[in-house]
Amino acid sequence: MIKTALITGITGQDGYYLSLLLLEKGYRVVGLLPPQRQSNIAKLGSLANQVEVYAVDLTDSAALEVAVEQTQPQEIYNLAAPSFVPDSWNDPLGTLDLITGTATRLLAAVRKAGLATRFYQASSSEMFGDVDRSPQDEQTPFRPMNPYAAAKLHAHWTMVHHRQRYGLFACSGILYNHESPRRPPQFVTRKVCLAAAAIKLGLSDTIEMGNLDAKRDWGYAGDYVEAMWRMLQADIPEDYAIGTGELHSVRELVTAAFECVGLDWTRRVMVEPKLFRADEHFQLVANPAKAKNNLKWEPQVSFEALIEKMVLKDLERLQNGTITPAALSTPK
Ligand code: NAP
């Protein structure tokens, strides 16, 4: 039997890698896309013709119920979110509406349809927030520190309630930062990789950076969508912290990116105190032992290989004109 997977946020970074994975496995992949965002399906490139688009307003409960009824999915991956955390301070209510509202409406639609649909909720390590321990795992208390994290936490608990109260097969992947050549340029990894490529090609001279000592647990998006899929193939629905378990500093990121293009970063990187984030006192790093034990999941792409992938792709894009150096000036 061909399985059907519904994906919200299919046009984003994870939506792309998840679609690729599911298509390779022979799934019918359906993207739930708000009508006004339908043209963004082109972001999937050659995959756009291999997935179906179902136009639906994610704020419309009745329309989502019809979407679930009509498509009869075996799996739903709820990925849609305004994912750049600083933006959530500018629109806390819109962030809550989309993240929590979509999860709640989709879970209700699954329950109403009476199907055995398995549900994946895209949770975030940002929910741990102001941590008092490192590394974090599934037992670590949540102390969210921004509207994005608070909305993700509400969606997470809503998913847990549907699992406990109604017996839905619903799981949450508490994912740490994961990157790829598809990461938008406002994220620090992409910003650095794009700048290194542009400077190499003589299209730019320097890059302004914040705190080079800030550390993150960065993995590869292609590895993380595999973890999402494995969660929905398990015998029991459970939540998982998904990360590499390694911390790397922004200084290591800059060093790795500029090494890829054979340049000395110390002459190209300008540290700008106004770019320091106020909340850099905690360290988010995963203990992915549960995923390793239960799902046999482990990251396959190293930090250095990830950065190399990203720099090489940006060199190619700048050389063939797919992007211009203007991409460097996206808000930080
Ligand atoms: P992304 O590249 O920013 O993609 C976000 C997706 O959500 C896009 O398809 C976007 O559509 C859609 N979206 C945004 N605002 C929307 C709105 N108002 N209505 C409908 N759709 C909207 O994010 P990602 O990196 O793939 O992340 C996937 C999910 O995992 C997100 O929920 C994110 O919060 C979560 N997460 C990500 C990370 C990470 O490090 N990447 C870590 C933890 C959790 P358009 O293409 O039309 O803009």
Side-chain angles (χ1 to χ4, degrees), residues 232-278:
L232 295 199
Q233 313 314 309
D235 292 335
I236 304 168
E238 288 187 75
D239 307 324
Y240 290 90
I242 301 292
T244 67
E246 287 177 20
L247 276 173
H248 291 277
S249 65
V250 175
R251 190 183 311 277
E252 288 172 75
L253 161 64
V254 166
T255 305
F258 280 78
E259 266 175 10
C260 287
V261 292
L263 292 177
D264 174 8
W265 69 269
T266 58
R267 296 152 52 93
R268 308 294 189 152
V269 173
M270 308 291 133
V271 173
E272 180 50 69
K274 73 172 189 289
L275 296 179
F276 280 44
R277 279 168 68 156

Coordinates of all heavy atoms in Angstrom, one line a residue, residues 232-278:
L232 N 7.9 8.2 13.7 CA 6.6 7.7 13.3 C 6.5 6.3 12.9 O 5.4 5.7 12.7 CB 6.0 8.6 12.2 CG 5.7 10.1 12.6 CD1 4.8 10.7 11.6 CD2 5.2 10.3 14.0
Q233 N 7.7 5.6 12.8 CA 7.7 4.2 12.5 C 7.8 3.3 13.7 O 7.8 2.1 13.7 CB 8.8 3.8 11.5 CG 9.0 4.7 10.3 CD 7.7 5.1 9.6 OE1 7.0 4.2 9.2 NE2 7.4 6.4 9.4
A234 N 8.0 4.0 14.9 CA 8.3 3.2 16.1 C 7.0 2.5 16.6 O 5.9 2.8 16.1 CB 8.7 4.2 17.2
D235 N 7.2 1.6 17.5 CA 6.0 0.9 18.0 C 5.2 1.8 19.0 O 4.0 1.6 19.1 CB 6.5 -0.4 18.8 CG 7.1 -1.4 17.9 OD1 6.7 -1.4 16.7 OD2 7.9 -2.2 18.3
I236 N 5.9 2.6 19.7 CA 5.2 3.5 20.7 C 5.5 4.9 20.4 O 6.6 5.3 20.1 CB 5.8 3.1 22.1 CG1 5.6 1.6 22.4 CG2 5.1 4.0 23.2 CD1 6.4 1.2 23.6
P237 N 4.5 5.8 20.5 CA 4.7 7.2 20.3 C 5.4 7.8 21.4 O 4.9 7.8 22.6 CB 3.3 7.8 20.1 CG 2.4 6.8 20.8 CD 3.0 5.5 20.8
E238 N 6.6 8.4 21.2 CA 7.3 9.1 22.3 C 8.0 10.3 21.7 O 8.2 10.4 20.5 CB 8.4 8.1 22.8 CG 7.8 7.0 23.6 CD 9.0 6.2 24.3 OE1 9.5 6.6 25.2 OE2 9.3 5.1 23.7
D239 N 8.5 11.1 22.6 CA 9.2 12.4 22.2 C 10.7 12.2 22.3 O 11.1 11.4 23.2 CB 8.7 13.5 23.2 CG 7.2 13.6 23.2 OD1 6.6 13.4 22.1 OD2 6.7 13.9 24.3
Y240 N 11.4 12.9 21.5 CA 12.8 12.7 21.4 C 13.6 14.0 21.3 O 13.2 14.9 20.5 CB 13.2 11.8 20.2 CG 12.8 10.4 20.4 CD1 11.5 10.0 19.9 CD2 13.6 9.4 20.9 CE1 11.1 8.6 20.1 CE2 13.2 8.1 21.1 CZ 11.9 7.7 20.7 OH 11.6 6.4 20.8
A241 N 14.7 14.1 22.0 CA 15.6 15.2 21.9 C 16.6 14.8 20.7 O 17.2 13.8 20.8 CB 16.4 15.5 23.1
I242 N 16.6 15.7 19.7 CA 17.4 15.3 18.5 C 18.5 16.4 18.3 O 18.2 17.5 18.0 CB 16.6 15.2 17.3 CG1 15.5 14.1 17.4 CG2 17.4 14.9 16.0 CD1 16.0 12.7 17.5
G243 N 19.7 16.0 18.5 CA 20.9 16.9 18.3 C 22.1 16.1 18.1 O 22.1 14.9 18.2
T244 N 23.2 16.8 17.9 CA 24.5 16.0 17.7 C 25.1 15.7 19.1 O 25.9 14.8 19.2 CB 25.5 16.8 16.9 OG1 25.9 18.0 17.7 CG2 24.9 17.3 15.6
G245 N 24.8 16.5 20.1 CA 25.5 16.3 21.4 C 26.8 17.0 21.4 O 27.6 16.9 22.4
E246 N 27.1 17.8 20.3 CA 28.4 18.5 20.3 C 28.1 20.0 20.3 O 27.2 20.4 19.6 CB 29.2 18.2 19.0 CG 29.8 16.9 18.9 CD 30.4 16.7 17.5 OE1 30.7 17.7 16.8 OE2 30.6 15.5 17.1
L247 N 29.0 20.8 21.0 CA 28.9 22.2 20.9 C 30.0 22.7 20.0 O 31.2 22.3 20.1 CB 29.0 22.8 22.3 CG 27.7 22.9 23.1 CD1 28.0 23.4 24.5 CD2 26.7 23.8 22.4
H248 N 29.7 23.7 19.1 CA 30.7 24.4 18.4 C 30.5 25.9 18.5 O 29.3 26.3 18.5 CB 30.7 23.9 16.9 CG 31.1 22.5 16.7 ND1 32.4 22.1 16.5 CD2 30.3 21.4 16.6 CE1 32.5 20.8 16.4 NE2 31.2 20.3 16.4
S249 N 31.6 26.6 18.6 CA 31.4 28.1 18.7 C 31.3 28.7 17.3 O 31.6 28.1 16.3 CB 32.7 28.6 19.4 OG 33.8 28.5 18.6
V250 N 30.8 30.0 17.4 CA 30.7 30.7 16.1 C 32.1 30.9 15.5 O 32.3 30.9 14.3 CB 30.0 32.1 16.4 CG1 30.0 33.0 15.1 CG2 28.6 31.9 16.9
R251 N 33.1 31.0 16.4 CA 34.5 31.1 15.9 C 34.9 29.9 15.1 O 35.5 30.0 14.1 CB 35.4 31.3 17.2 CG 36.9 31.6 16.8 CD 37.7 31.6 18.1 NE 37.1 32.4 19.2 CZ 37.2 33.7 19.3 NH1 37.9 34.4 18.5 NH2 36.5 34.4 20.3
E252 N 34.5 28.7 15.6 CA 34.8 27.5 14.9 C 34.0 27.5 13.5 O 34.5 27.0 12.5 CB 34.4 26.2 15.7 CG 35.3 26.0 16.9 CD 34.6 24.8 17.7 OE1 34.7 23.7 17.3 OE2 34.1 25.1 18.8
L253 N 32.8 28.0 13.6 CA 32.0 28.1 12.3 C 32.7 28.9 11.3 O 32.9 28.6 10.1 CB 30.6 28.6 12.7 CG 29.8 29.2 11.6 CD1 29.4 28.1 10.5 CD2 28.5 29.8 12.1
V254 N 33.2 30.1 11.8 CA 33.8 31.1 10.9 C 35.1 30.4 10.3 O 35.5 30.5 9.1 CB 34.1 32.4 11.6 CG1 35.1 33.2 10.9 CG2 32.8 33.1 11.9
T255 N 35.9 29.8 11.2 CA 37.2 29.2 10.8 C 36.9 28.1 9.8 O 37.6 28.1 8.7 CB 37.8 28.5 12.1 OG1 38.0 29.5 13.1 CG2 39.2 28.0 11.7
A256 N 35.9 27.3 10.0 CA 35.6 26.2 9.1 C 35.2 26.7 7.7 O 35.7 26.2 6.7 CB 34.6 25.3 9.6
A257 N 34.4 27.8 7.7 CA 33.8 28.3 6.5 C 35.0 28.9 5.6 O 35.1 28.7 4.4 CB 32.7 29.3 6.7
F258 N 35.8 29.7 6.3 CA 36.8 30.4 5.6 C 37.9 29.5 5.1 O 38.6 29.6 4.1 CB 37.4 31.6 6.4 CG 36.5 32.8 6.2 CD1 35.3 32.9 7.0 CD2 36.8 33.9 5.4 CE1 34.5 34.0 6.8 CE2 36.0 35.0 5.2 CZ 34.8 35.1 6.0
E259 N 38.1 28.4 5.9 CA 39.1 27.4 5.5 C 38.7 26.7 4.2 O 39.5 26.4 3.4 CB 39.3 26.3 6.6 CG 40.4 26.6 7.5 CD 40.6 25.6 8.7 OE1 39.9 24.6 8.7 OE2 41.3 25.9 9.6
C260 N 37.4 26.5 4.0 CA 36.8 25.9 2.8 C 37.2 26.7 1.6 O 37.3 26.1 0.5 CB 35.3 25.8 2.8 SG 34.7 24.6 4.0
V261 N 37.4 28.0 1.7 CA 37.7 28.8 0.5 C 39.2 29.3 0.6 O 39.6 30.2 -0.2 CB 36.8 30.0 0.4 CG1 35.3 29.6 0.1 CG2 36.7 30.9 1.6
G262 N 39.9 28.8 1.6 CA 41.4 29.1 1.6 C 41.7 30.5 2.0 O 42.7 31.1 1.6
L263 N 40.8 31.1 2.9 CA 41.1 32.5 3.3 C 41.3 32.5 4.8 O 40.8 31.7 5.6 CB 39.9 33.4 3.0 CG 39.7 33.6 1.5 CD1 38.4 34.5 1.3 CD2 40.9 34.3 0.8
D264 N 42.0 33.6 5.3 CA 42.3 33.8 6.7 C 41.1 34.7 7.2 O 41.0 35.8 6.9 CB 43.6 34.6 6.9 CG 43.9 35.0 8.3 OD1 43.1 34.6 9.2 OD2 44.8 35.7 8.5
W265 N 40.3 34.1 8.1 CA 39.1 34.8 8.5 C 39.4 36.0 9.4 O 38.6 37.0 9.5 CB 38.1 33.9 9.3 CG 38.6 33.4 10.6 CD1 39.3 32.3 10.9 CD2 38.4 34.0 11.9 NE1 39.6 32.2 12.2 CE2 39.0 33.2 12.9 CE3 37.8 35.2 12.3 CZ2 39.0 33.6 14.2 CZ3 37.8 35.5 13.7 CH2 38.4 34.7 14.6
T266 N 40.5 36.0 10.1 CA 40.8 37.1 11.1 C 40.9 38.5 10.4 O 40.7 39.5 11.0 CB 42.1 36.8 11.8 OG1 43.2 36.7 10.9 CG2 42.0 35.5 12.7
R267 N 41.2 38.5 9.1 CA 41.2 39.7 8.4 C 39.9 40.1 7.8 O 39.8 41.2 7.2 CB 42.3 39.7 7.3 CG 43.7 39.4 7.8 CD 44.6 38.7 6.8 NE 44.6 39.3 5.5 CZ 45.5 40.2 5.1 NH1 46.4 40.6 5.9 NH2 45.4 40.7 3.9
R268 N 38.9 39.2 7.8 CA 37.7 39.5 7.1 C 36.5 39.6 8.1 O 35.4 40.1 7.6 CB 37.4 38.3 6.2 CG 38.5 38.0 5.3 CD 38.7 39.1 4.3 NE 39.6 38.7 3.3 CZ 39.6 39.2 2.0 NH1 38.7 40.1 1.7 NH2 40.5 38.8 1.1
V269 N 36.6 39.2 9.3 CA 35.5 39.2 10.2 C 35.6 40.4 11.2 O 36.6 40.5 11.9 CB 35.4 37.9 11.0 CG1 34.3 37.9 12.1 CG2 35.2 36.7 10.1
M270 N 34.6 41.2 11.2 CA 34.5 42.4 12.1 C 33.6 42.1 13.3 O 32.4 41.9 13.0 CB 34.0 43.6 11.4 CG 34.8 44.0 10.1 SD 36.4 44.5 10.4 CE 37.4 43.5 9.3
V271 N 34.1 42.1 14.5 CA 33.2 41.8 15.6 C 32.4 43.1 16.0 O 33.0 44.1 16.2 CB 33.9 41.2 16.8 CG1 33.0 41.1 18.0 CG2 34.5 39.9 16.4
E272 N 31.1 43.0 16.0 CA 30.2 44.2 16.2 C 29.4 43.9 17.5 O 28.5 43.1 17.5 CB 29.4 44.3 15.0 CG 28.4 45.5 15.0 CD 29.0 46.8 15.4 OE1 29.8 47.3 14.6 OE2 28.7 47.3 16.5
P273 N 29.8 44.6 18.6 CA 29.1 44.3 19.9 C 27.6 44.5 19.8 O 26.8 43.8 20.5 CB 29.7 45.4 20.8 CG 31.0 45.6 20.3 CD 30.9 45.5 18.8
K274 N 27.1 45.4 18.9 CA 25.6 45.5 18.8 C 24.9 44.2 18.4 O 23.7 44.1 18.5 CB 25.2 46.7 18.0 CG 25.4 46.6 16.5 CD 24.7 47.8 15.8 CE 24.6 47.6 14.3 NZ 25.8 47.6 13.5
L275 N 25.7 43.3 17.8 CA 25.1 42.1 17.3 C 25.1 41.0 18.4 O 24.6 39.9 18.2 CB 25.8 41.6 16.1 CG 25.7 42.5 14.8 CD1 26.5 41.9 13.7 CD2 24.3 42.7 14.4
F276 N 25.6 41.3 19.6 CA 25.6 40.3 20.6 C 24.2 40.1 21.1 O 23.4 41.0 21.2 CB 26.5 40.8 21.8 CG 28.0 40.5 21.6 CD1 28.6 40.9 20.4 CD2 28.7 40.0 22.7 CE1 30.0 40.7 20.3 CE2 30.1 39.8 22.5 CZ 30.7 40.2 21.3
R277 N 23.8 38.8 21.3 CA 22.5 38.6 21.8 C 22.5 38.7 23.3 O 23.5 38.3 24.0 CB 22.0 37.2 21.4 CG 21.5 37.2 19.9 CD 21.3 35.8 19.4 NE 20.2 35.1 20.1 CZ 19.5 34.1 19.5 NH1 19.8 33.7 18.2 NH2 18.6 33.4 20.1
A278 N 21.3 39.1 23.9 CA 21.3 39.3 25.3 C 21.2 38.0 26.1 O 21.5 38.0 27.3 CB 20.0 40.2 25.6

